[in-house]
Amino acid sequence: MAETFTLYKLIILYMLDKVDFPLTTSQISEFVLNKGYTNYFRLQEALSELSESGLIRPETTHNRTLYHLTENGAETILYFGHKISAAIRQDIDEFLREKQYDLKEEVSVRADYYLNTRREYEVRCRITENGADLIDLKLTVPTEKEAEAIVNHWNTKSQEIYTLLLSNLL
């Protein structure tokens, strides 16, 4: 049982090692749960243990968590990656190859908000590419409801807004 649980953690580390961007909980879940490797609760436990041990670093916003591979996580998968069967590695590689563009696009668009010292909500909306910001927009709104609405709409409207800004400013 412990060996199987270790495999779940190695799968997560392997996935993060194979991409040059963080993965969300839902992206990792999509692969692990659809392939039937484990259930949602065991996956959450594996993510939690990897975070606590410093092998991955979670970045949490109001609407999702992104996982980054740490240096220790990269070393761990380097030493123990061979414990993942060739068939599972092939499944992961295929999943990442087929969905790489969608996975990368999903994590390149980020939005979050917080209450500032003036008791207003600041919303930060970003689009990143290869680790650099294409746009980093900060808006101030009076209510949390408005801040949440902006965060929720940013994912679907970001490309349109970015294009609009460029066309109007250039």
Side-chain angles (χ1 to χ4, degrees):
M1 186 74 155
E3 205 169 293
T4 305
F5 189 64
T6 300
L7 176 63
Y8 307 150
K9 293 193 275 188
L10 288 173
I11 287 171
I12 295 165
L13 293 175
Y14 184 84
M15 289 179 75
L16 290 170
D17 188 53
K18 289 295 181 179
V19 295
D20 61 351
F21 51 89
L23 293 173
T24 66
T25 306
S26 64
Q27 291 171 330
I28 295 168
S29 297
E30 179 182 351
F31 173 76
V32 174
L33 300 180
N34 286 350
K35 289 293 184 180
Y37 290 122
T38 189
N39 63 44
Y40 178 80
F41 300 105
R42 292 293 282 169
L43 177 60
Q44 291 303 313
E45 189 178 351
L47 287 166
S48 177
E49 284 191 19
L50 287 168
S51 297
E52 288 171 12
S53 62
L55 300 178
I56 62 175
R57 179 180 53 82
E59 176 188 344
T60 304
T61 64
H62 285 88
N63 58 351
R64 66 182 172 181
T65 301
L66 299 168
Y67 292 97
H68 302 263
L69 186 66
T70 65
E71 214 173 286
N72 288 339
E75 287 178 19
T76 300
I77 199 62
L78 180 67
Y79 293 123
F80 298 106
H82 67 278
K83 292 186 178 268
I84 303 171
S85 73
I88 293 174
R89 283 195 310 270
Q90 184 178 345
D91 283 349
I92 295 169
D93 293 343
E94 187 176 308
F95 172 81
L96 294 174
R97 191 172 32 260
E98 287 175 3
K99 296 194 167 260
Q100 182 167 2
Y101 178 77
D102 293 335
L103 295 172
K104 194 169 192 171
E105 187 173 312
E106 185 180 333
V107 297
S108 70
V109 176
R110 300 180 191 183
D112 199 8
Y113 68 89
Y114 60 92
L115 187 62
N116 68 21
T117 56
R118 295 181 313 275
R119 311 287 303 154
E120 297 170 314
Y121 289 88
E122 288 191 16
V123 184
R124 184 176 183 199
C125 302
R126 296 173 29 197
I127 301 174
T128 57
E129 188 174 280
N130 299 323
D133 287 332
L134 293 179
I135 186 170
D136 188 350
L137 176 67
K138 190 189 299 185
L139 303 165
T140 303
V141 293
T143 69
E144 186 173 15
K145 185 177 181 180
E146 291 170 329
E148 283 179 5
I150 292 169
V151 166
N152 292 333
H153 289 113
W154 181 247
N155 286 336
T156 57
K157 299 279 190 177
S158 60
Q159 291 300 325
E160 181 183 330
I161 293 167
Y162 179 69
T163 303
L164 179 70
L165 283 172
L166 285 180
S167 66
N168 281 290
L169 295 173
L170 294 177

